[in-house]
Structure formats: C-alpha cells, structure tokens
Amino acid sequence: MTKPTKILSITAIAGMLGAFAYEYTVAPAHADSLGSFCAAPVQGEEHCVSSDRSPADAWNRAAANGELPIAMWAKWPSGMTADELVESPARLKAWFADTEKALSYVRDTQRNAASYKASLARVAALVAEVKARQAAPREDP
C-alpha cells in the first residue's frame, strides 16, 4: 500500500468513527457506560482499566510492560453483547465517547503517530463489528 493510500485509509477510518458518533448525539453521554479503556504495546499484552478512570492509566500500564507503538481503544462493558450495544443509542453514544477519549489521549497527549495508527486499526475493527450487527437482520422473538 502506498503512503497516500495509507493516509487516505486512516482518514477514512477516523471519518467513519466520527460519522457514527455524530449519529448518536441525542442520548446522555455515559448513560450505561463503564466499559474499559484498553492499551496494548507492540508485544500484544492488553491492559484495561474502567472507563471511569483516565486513559492514561491503561497507557501507563502498557508502557511499563512493552514498547511503542501502543494501541489504545475503548471496550463496551464486558457483560454486554454487540447486539445489546447496538440496540441502545445511549450505550452506543457512551462507547463512542469513550473511544474518542482514548483516541484523543493518544493523538493529543502522547503525540505518537505509530500508536495513533495502531489505535485507529483497533477501533476500526470494533466499529466494523458494531456496523455488522446493525446491518444484520433482526430475529423477532
């Protein structure tokens, strides 16, 4: 992949996340939250803290146990399925708010381009999972 194509892909992912977040701005920000901020160094060990804490806590744990780049993302609550997440605009908004908080920490505080790129890749995978659940046909009980 050429450098302009990589930049375009990263920009598209960030734009897609922004579009999803914009769609769910009518609900309270952390209505059903308490997911997690997670960070993983290049070696891959995942370090998560509750989203009521700072993303820096997850970053610092990952940094103490590995090297850059460090990917950072937000997870929805562990007891919640992707179906439950997409059924609630409030839960989606809370997850998007946590995701933006994690990404802005990497982008604005750590200012590490390789870590930001790794974070966007992690977020893109989670957004794709949510998008697939939203697009899946619903079964009526």
Side-chain angles (χ1 to χ4, degrees), residues 81-121:
T81 66
D83 283 335
E84 292 170 329
L85 179 71
V86 301
E87 289 172 357
S88 169
R91 289 177 181 156
L92 268 175
K93 183 174 185 207
W95 178 62
F96 285 132
D98 287 347
T99 297
E100 177 53 32
K101 200 173 191 181
L103 290 175
S104 66
Y105 176 79
V106 175
R107 181 187 61 236
D108 303 334
T109 303
Q110 291 300 323
R111 296 181 179 204
N112 183 282
S115 293
Y116 188 61
K117 180 180 176 184
S119 299
L120 286 173

Short mmCIF file of all heavy atoms in Angstrom, two decimals, residues 81-121:
data_model
loop_
_atom_site.label_atom_id
_atom_site.label_comp_id
_atom_site.label_asym_id
_atom_site.label_seq_id
_atom_site.Cartn_x
_atom_site.Cartn_y
_atom_site.Cartn_z
N THR A 81 -23.42 -7.66 25.09
CA THR A 81 -23.14 -8.19 23.76
C THR A 81 -23.16 -7.06 22.74
O THR A 81 -23.66 -5.96 23.02
CB THR A 81 -24.20 -9.24 23.35
OG1 THR A 81 -25.46 -8.57 23.20
CG2 THR A 81 -24.29 -10.37 24.36
N ALA A 82 -22.63 -7.32 21.55
CA ALA A 82 -22.69 -6.32 20.48
C ALA A 82 -24.14 -6.01 20.12
O ALA A 82 -24.48 -4.87 19.81
CB ALA A 82 -21.92 -6.81 19.25
N ASP A 83 -25.02 -7.03 20.18
CA ASP A 83 -26.44 -6.79 19.92
C ASP A 83 -27.03 -5.82 20.92
O ASP A 83 -27.78 -4.91 20.57
CB ASP A 83 -27.23 -8.10 19.96
CG ASP A 83 -27.05 -8.94 18.71
OD1 ASP A 83 -26.73 -8.36 17.66
OD2 ASP A 83 -27.22 -10.16 18.79
N GLU A 84 -26.71 -6.00 22.20
CA GLU A 84 -27.23 -5.09 23.24
C GLU A 84 -26.68 -3.68 23.04
O GLU A 84 -27.38 -2.71 23.28
CB GLU A 84 -26.87 -5.61 24.63
CG GLU A 84 -27.60 -6.89 25.00
CD GLU A 84 -27.07 -7.54 26.26
OE1 GLU A 84 -25.86 -7.43 26.56
OE2 GLU A 84 -27.87 -8.17 26.95
N LEU A 85 -25.44 -3.60 22.61
CA LEU A 85 -24.84 -2.29 22.37
C LEU A 85 -25.58 -1.54 21.27
O LEU A 85 -25.95 -0.39 21.44
CB LEU A 85 -23.36 -2.44 22.00
CG LEU A 85 -22.61 -1.14 21.69
CD1 LEU A 85 -22.40 -0.33 22.96
CD2 LEU A 85 -21.28 -1.45 21.03
N VAL A 86 -25.82 -2.21 20.14
CA VAL A 86 -26.42 -1.51 19.01
C VAL A 86 -27.90 -1.24 19.20
O VAL A 86 -28.47 -0.40 18.51
CB VAL A 86 -26.18 -2.24 17.67
CG1 VAL A 86 -24.69 -2.39 17.40
CG2 VAL A 86 -26.87 -3.59 17.62
N GLU A 87 -28.54 -1.93 20.13
CA GLU A 87 -29.96 -1.69 20.39
C GLU A 87 -30.21 -0.42 21.18
O GLU A 87 -31.34 0.03 21.28
CB GLU A 87 -30.56 -2.88 21.14
CG GLU A 87 -30.69 -4.12 20.27
CD GLU A 87 -31.09 -5.36 21.06
OE1 GLU A 87 -31.22 -5.28 22.30
OE2 GLU A 87 -31.27 -6.40 20.41
N SER A 88 -29.17 0.17 21.74
CA SER A 88 -29.34 1.33 22.61
C SER A 88 -28.52 2.53 22.13
O SER A 88 -27.29 2.51 22.22
CB SER A 88 -28.92 0.97 24.04
OG SER A 88 -28.83 2.12 24.84
N PRO A 89 -29.19 3.58 21.65
CA PRO A 89 -28.44 4.79 21.28
C PRO A 89 -27.62 5.35 22.44
O PRO A 89 -26.51 5.84 22.23
CB PRO A 89 -29.52 5.77 20.84
CG PRO A 89 -30.65 4.90 20.39
CD PRO A 89 -30.62 3.70 21.31
N ALA A 90 -28.11 5.23 23.66
CA ALA A 90 -27.37 5.74 24.83
C ALA A 90 -26.09 4.95 25.05
O ALA A 90 -25.03 5.52 25.32
CB ALA A 90 -28.25 5.69 26.08
N ARG A 91 -26.17 3.63 24.92
CA ARG A 91 -24.97 2.80 25.10
C ARG A 91 -23.97 3.05 23.98
O ARG A 91 -22.77 3.12 24.22
CB ARG A 91 -25.36 1.32 25.13
CG ARG A 91 -26.08 0.94 26.38
CD ARG A 91 -26.50 -0.51 26.32
NE ARG A 91 -27.22 -0.86 27.53
CZ ARG A 91 -28.08 -1.85 27.60
NH1 ARG A 91 -28.32 -2.61 26.54
NH2 ARG A 91 -28.70 -2.11 28.72
N LEU A 92 -24.46 3.16 22.75
CA LEU A 92 -23.55 3.46 21.63
C LEU A 92 -22.87 4.80 21.84
O LEU A 92 -21.66 4.93 21.63
CB LEU A 92 -24.32 3.47 20.31
CG LEU A 92 -24.37 2.17 19.55
CD1 LEU A 92 -25.27 2.30 18.33
CD2 LEU A 92 -23.00 1.69 19.15
N LYS A 93 -23.63 5.80 22.25
CA LYS A 93 -23.05 7.12 22.46
C LYS A 93 -21.98 7.07 23.55
O LYS A 93 -20.91 7.67 23.41
CB LYS A 93 -24.11 8.15 22.83
CG LYS A 93 -23.47 9.52 22.97
CD LYS A 93 -24.45 10.61 23.19
CE LYS A 93 -23.65 11.90 23.18
NZ LYS A 93 -24.25 12.92 23.93
N ALA A 94 -22.25 6.33 24.62
CA ALA A 94 -21.26 6.20 25.69
C ALA A 94 -19.98 5.54 25.18
O ALA A 94 -18.88 5.98 25.49
CB ALA A 94 -21.85 5.40 26.85
N TRP A 95 -20.14 4.49 24.36
CA TRP A 95 -18.96 3.81 23.82
C TRP A 95 -18.20 4.72 22.86
O TRP A 95 -16.97 4.78 22.89
CB TRP A 95 -19.36 2.50 23.14
CG TRP A 95 -18.21 1.79 22.52
CD1 TRP A 95 -17.11 1.29 23.17
CD2 TRP A 95 -18.00 1.53 21.14
NE1 TRP A 95 -16.24 0.72 22.26
CE2 TRP A 95 -16.77 0.85 21.01
CE3 TRP A 95 -18.76 1.78 20.00
CZ2 TRP A 95 -16.27 0.44 19.78
CZ3 TRP A 95 -18.26 1.36 18.79
CH2 TRP A 95 -17.03 0.69 18.69
N PHE A 96 -18.93 5.46 22.01
CA PHE A 96 -18.26 6.39 21.11
C PHE A 96 -17.53 7.49 21.88
O PHE A 96 -16.42 7.89 21.50
CB PHE A 96 -19.25 7.02 20.12
CG PHE A 96 -19.67 6.09 19.02
CD1 PHE A 96 -21.01 5.94 18.70
CD2 PHE A 96 -18.75 5.36 18.30
CE1 PHE A 96 -21.41 5.09 17.68
CE2 PHE A 96 -19.13 4.50 17.28
CZ PHE A 96 -20.47 4.37 16.98
N ALA A 97 -18.12 7.97 22.96
CA ALA A 97 -17.46 9.00 23.78
C ALA A 97 -16.18 8.44 24.39
O ALA A 97 -15.14 9.11 24.40
CB ALA A 97 -18.41 9.50 24.86
N ASP A 98 -16.23 7.21 24.90
CA ASP A 98 -15.03 6.57 25.44
C ASP A 98 -13.98 6.37 24.36
O ASP A 98 -12.78 6.57 24.58
CB ASP A 98 -15.37 5.22 26.07
CG ASP A 98 -16.11 5.33 27.39
OD1 ASP A 98 -16.16 6.44 27.97
OD2 ASP A 98 -16.65 4.30 27.85
N THR A 99 -14.42 5.96 23.18
CA THR A 99 -13.49 5.75 22.06
C THR A 99 -12.80 7.05 21.68
O THR A 99 -11.57 7.09 21.51
CB THR A 99 -14.23 5.16 20.85
OG1 THR A 99 -14.75 3.88 21.23
CG2 THR A 99 -13.33 5.01 19.65
N GLU A 100 -13.56 8.13 21.59
CA GLU A 100 -12.96 9.43 21.27
C GLU A 100 -11.99 9.87 22.35
O GLU A 100 -10.92 10.42 22.06
CB GLU A 100 -14.04 10.49 21.05
CG GLU A 100 -13.50 11.88 20.80
CD GLU A 100 -12.47 11.97 19.65
OE1 GLU A 100 -12.57 11.21 18.67
OE2 GLU A 100 -11.56 12.82 19.75
N LYS A 101 -12.32 9.60 23.61
CA LYS A 101 -11.43 9.96 24.71
C LYS A 101 -10.10 9.20 24.60
O LYS A 101 -9.03 9.78 24.80
CB LYS A 101 -12.13 9.63 26.04
CG LYS A 101 -11.60 10.33 27.23
CD LYS A 101 -12.52 10.02 28.41
CE LYS A 101 -12.21 10.90 29.58
NZ LYS A 101 -13.09 10.61 30.73
N ALA A 102 -10.17 7.91 24.28
CA ALA A 102 -8.95 7.10 24.13
C ALA A 102 -8.12 7.59 22.96
O ALA A 102 -6.90 7.76 23.07
CB ALA A 102 -9.32 5.62 23.96
N LEU A 103 -8.77 7.82 21.81
CA LEU A 103 -8.04 8.27 20.63
C LEU A 103 -7.44 9.66 20.83
O LEU A 103 -6.30 9.92 20.42
CB LEU A 103 -8.94 8.27 19.39
CG LEU A 103 -9.33 6.90 18.86
CD1 LEU A 103 -10.33 7.05 17.72
CD2 LEU A 103 -8.11 6.11 18.42
N SER A 104 -8.18 10.55 21.45
CA SER A 104 -7.64 11.90 21.66
C SER A 104 -6.47 11.87 22.65
O SER A 104 -5.54 12.66 22.54
CB SER A 104 -8.73 12.89 22.11
OG SER A 104 -9.22 12.56 23.37
N TYR A 105 -6.50 10.94 23.60
CA TYR A 105 -5.36 10.80 24.51
C TYR A 105 -4.09 10.44 23.73
O TYR A 105 -3.04 11.05 23.92
CB TYR A 105 -5.64 9.75 25.59
CG TYR A 105 -4.44 9.53 26.47
CD1 TYR A 105 -4.14 10.43 27.49
CD2 TYR A 105 -3.56 8.47 26.26
CE1 TYR A 105 -3.01 10.28 28.27
CE2 TYR A 105 -2.44 8.30 27.04
CZ TYR A 105 -2.16 9.21 28.05
OH TYR A 105 -1.03 9.06 28.82
N VAL A 106 -4.21 9.47 22.84
CA VAL A 106 -3.04 9.05 22.05
C VAL A 106 -2.61 10.18 21.11
O VAL A 106 -1.43 10.53 21.03
CB VAL A 106 -3.35 7.78 21.23
CG1 VAL A 106 -2.18 7.42 20.32
CG2 VAL A 106 -3.68 6.62 22.16
N ARG A 107 -3.58 10.79 20.42
CA ARG A 107 -3.29 11.83 19.44
C ARG A 107 -2.77 13.11 20.09
O ARG A 107 -1.75 13.66 19.66
CB ARG A 107 -4.56 12.13 18.64
CG ARG A 107 -4.41 13.17 17.55
CD ARG A 107 -5.76 13.54 16.92
NE ARG A 107 -6.65 14.09 17.94
CZ ARG A 107 -7.87 13.60 18.21
NH1 ARG A 107 -8.35 12.58 17.56
NH2 ARG A 107 -8.61 14.15 19.15
N ASP A 108 -3.44 13.60 21.14
CA ASP A 108 -3.15 14.92 21.68
C ASP A 108 -2.18 14.91 22.86
O ASP A 108 -1.43 15.86 23.04
CB ASP A 108 -4.45 15.61 22.13
CG ASP A 108 -5.45 15.73 20.99
OD1 ASP A 108 -5.02 15.77 19.81
OD2 ASP A 108 -6.66 15.78 21.28
N THR A 109 -2.18 13.86 23.66
CA THR A 109 -1.30 13.81 24.83
C THR A 109 -0.01 13.07 24.51
O THR A 109 1.08 13.59 24.76
CB THR A 109 -2.02 13.14 26.02
OG1 THR A 109 -3.22 13.86 26.29
CG2 THR A 109 -1.14 13.12 27.25
N GLN A 110 -0.11 11.87 23.97
CA GLN A 110 1.10 11.09 23.66
C GLN A 110 1.77 11.54 22.37
O GLN A 110 2.97 11.40 22.22
CB GLN A 110 0.77 9.60 23.61
CG GLN A 110 0.42 9.03 24.96
CD GLN A 110 1.53 9.18 25.97
OE1 GLN A 110 2.71 9.06 25.64
NE2 GLN A 110 1.16 9.45 27.21
N ARG A 111 0.99 12.03 21.44
CA ARG A 111 1.50 12.54 20.15
C ARG A 111 2.45 11.55 19.47
O ARG A 111 3.52 11.91 19.01
CB ARG A 111 2.18 13.89 20.34
CG ARG A 111 1.23 14.95 20.80
CD ARG A 111 1.91 16.26 20.96
NE ARG A 111 0.93 17.24 21.39
CZ ARG A 111 1.06 18.51 21.20
NH1 ARG A 111 2.12 19.00 20.60
NH2 ARG A 111 0.13 19.34 21.62
N ASN A 112 2.00 10.32 19.39
CA ASN A 112 2.80 9.28 18.77
C ASN A 112 2.04 8.74 17.57
O ASN A 112 1.02 8.06 17.74
CB ASN A 112 3.10 8.17 19.79
CG ASN A 112 3.98 7.10 19.22
OD1 ASN A 112 3.53 6.25 18.48
ND2 ASN A 112 5.26 7.15 19.56
N ALA A 113 2.52 9.07 16.38
CA ALA A 113 1.80 8.72 15.15
C ALA A 113 1.63 7.21 14.98
O ALA A 113 0.57 6.74 14.57
CB ALA A 113 2.51 9.31 13.94
N ALA A 114 2.66 6.44 15.30
CA ALA A 114 2.56 4.98 15.14
C ALA A 114 1.53 4.41 16.11
O ALA A 114 0.77 3.51 15.75
CB ALA A 114 3.92 4.33 15.37
N SER A 115 1.47 4.96 17.31
CA SER A 115 0.48 4.49 18.28
C SER A 115 -0.93 4.91 17.85
O SER A 115 -1.89 4.16 18.01
CB SER A 115 0.78 5.05 19.67
OG SER A 115 1.98 4.49 20.16
N TYR A 116 -1.05 6.10 17.29
CA TYR A 116 -2.36 6.56 16.82
C TYR A 116 -2.85 5.67 15.68
O TYR A 116 -4.01 5.25 15.66
CB TYR A 116 -2.27 8.02 16.39
CG TYR A 116 -3.60 8.65 16.07
CD1 TYR A 116 -4.60 8.76 17.03
CD2 TYR A 116 -3.86 9.14 14.80
CE1 TYR A 116 -5.81 9.34 16.75
CE2 TYR A 116 -5.09 9.73 14.51
CZ TYR A 116 -6.06 9.83 15.49
OH TYR A 116 -7.27 10.41 15.19
N LYS A 117 -1.96 5.33 14.77
CA LYS A 117 -2.32 4.45 13.65
C LYS A 117 -2.74 3.07 14.17
O LYS A 117 -3.75 2.51 13.72
CB LYS A 117 -1.13 4.31 12.70
CG LYS A 117 -1.40 3.43 11.51
CD LYS A 117 -0.19 3.35 10.62
CE LYS A 117 -0.43 2.38 9.47
NZ LYS A 117 0.75 2.22 8.64
N ALA A 118 -2.00 2.53 15.14
CA ALA A 118 -2.35 1.23 15.72
C ALA A 118 -3.70 1.31 16.44
O ALA A 118 -4.51 0.39 16.38
CB ALA A 118 -1.26 0.77 16.69
N SER A 119 -3.95 2.44 17.10
CA SER A 119 -5.22 2.63 17.80
C SER A 119 -6.38 2.70 16.82
O SER A 119 -7.44 2.09 17.04
CB SER A 119 -5.17 3.92 18.63
OG SER A 119 -4.15 3.84 19.60
N LEU A 120 -6.19 3.42 15.72
CA LEU A 120 -7.25 3.51 14.70
C LEU A 120 -7.58 2.14 14.12
O LEU A 120 -8.74 1.83 13.86
CB LEU A 120 -6.85 4.47 13.59
CG LEU A 120 -6.90 5.96 13.94
CD1 LEU A 120 -6.32 6.79 12.80
CD2 LEU A 120 -8.31 6.40 14.26
N ALA A 121 -6.57 1.30 13.94
CA ALA A 121 -6.80 -0.04 13.41
C ALA A 121 -7.65 -0.86 14.39
O ALA A 121 -8.58 -1.56 13.97
CB ALA A 121 -5.48 -0.74 13.14
#
